[in-house]
Amino acid sequence: MKNLVFATSNPNKIKEANDLLPTALEVKGLKDIGCTEEVPETSPTIQGNALQKARYVFENYKVNCFSEDTGLEIDALDGEPGVYTARYAGEARDKEANMAKAIANLEGKSDRGAQFRTVIALIIDGKEYTFEGIARGTIAHQKQGTEGFGYDPIFIPAGYKTSFAQMTQAEKNEISHRGQAVRKLVAFLDTL
Ligand code: IMP
């Protein structure tokens, strides 16, 4: 199998995945297959959203594809924002407002533990597979660093003193939720 569509329009995610996937595999984004509409993402779970996006692309564009959905789960907030990570502070999906809200909601709490969870859903010839990656860490008191995207400046992975936004892409990929899930995907694709 040489062609695989990554059902995302987020260029950051395509870049991260391309760094990890074998060069023999040509990964296309949604724009490359003419999909410019918003892919529905209405499930109450991260796994459900990943499957929903992959099924939408497989059914409407008849291509083997994978999609991923990621959520930030903060321990002291009962797993919030979880499936609402992108729009935590409102429909504008503003990363600065999202990070500020996470920090504000943790004010006065001693437990700052959190995790990023990624689920990748793959559909090959109609068969569905899922792969999960989890990165444990803590929520910083303030933003640190300028690399990466989303909540990276406030997420300090377990065992590190720096945030994801203070790491190179390669360093982040080695330990990140998405890196782990993509490596599981790659290992599976190797068996086909
Ligand atoms: P989605 O999976 O594209 O719906 O992303 C959900 C939310 O998580 C968005 O606000 C993203 O910016 C954020 N997000 C996803 N992956 C990462 C990451 O690796 N680091 C920081 N934030 C992320």
Side-chain angles (χ1 to χ4, degrees), residues 111-134:
D111 178 4
R112 303 188 72 88
Q115 63 186 27
F116 274 114
R117 179 201 302 274
T118 288
V119 175
I120 290 178
L122 169 72
I123 305 187
I124 304 274
D125 301 332
K127 273 201 191 143
E128 298 180 349
Y129 310 86
T130 57
F131 309 92
E132 186 179 72
I134 289 178

Side-chain angles (χ1 to χ4, degrees), residues 84-110:
Y84 301 107
T85 299
R87 57 197 76 187
Y88 193 30
E91 285 304 315
R93 296 167 170 246
D94 181 76
K95 66 176 180 171
E96 298 299 333
N98 283 341
M99 287 189 282
K101 182 168 179 180
I103 289 172
N105 283 348
L106 280 177
E107 209 179 299
K109 297 196 193 292
S110 55

